Amino acid sequence: MAVPKRKMSRANTRARRSQWKTSAPTLVSCPNRACGQPKLPHTACSNCGQYDGRQVLAV
């Protein structure tokens, strides 16, 4: 099992962590013509309640 020989300095730790970035979630428009709101892909639309052309949520 690998164990560091020395404590990593604060500058090196922060430099390494600076590469961790968050990304904005991918959004697609709702295929329902009456809705068209942005939604997460492969999920039911929270505005109109449709998924794959079917009503799956009671809104």
Side-chain angles (χ1 to χ4, degrees):
M1 186 163 137
V3 178
K5 189 162 258 191
R6 303 262 180 209
K7 180 178 180 178
M8 185 175 264
S9 70
R10 188 180 209 179
N12 282 346
T13 301
R14 289 181 175 175
R16 179 173 42 86
R17 287 183 183 158
S18 72
Q19 302 305 315
W20 283 51
K21 297 177 180 69
T22 59
S23 59
T26 304
L27 296 176
V28 296
S29 62
C30 180
N32 182 7
R33 291 183 185 173
C35 179
Q37 293 291 319
K39 68 174 193 74
L40 293 172
H42 307 289
T43 57
C45 179
S46 59
N47 190 42
C48 66
Q50 286 195 358
Y51 181 75
D52 199 22
R54 295 178 290 129
Q55 189 71 29
V56 293
L57 296 174
V59 181

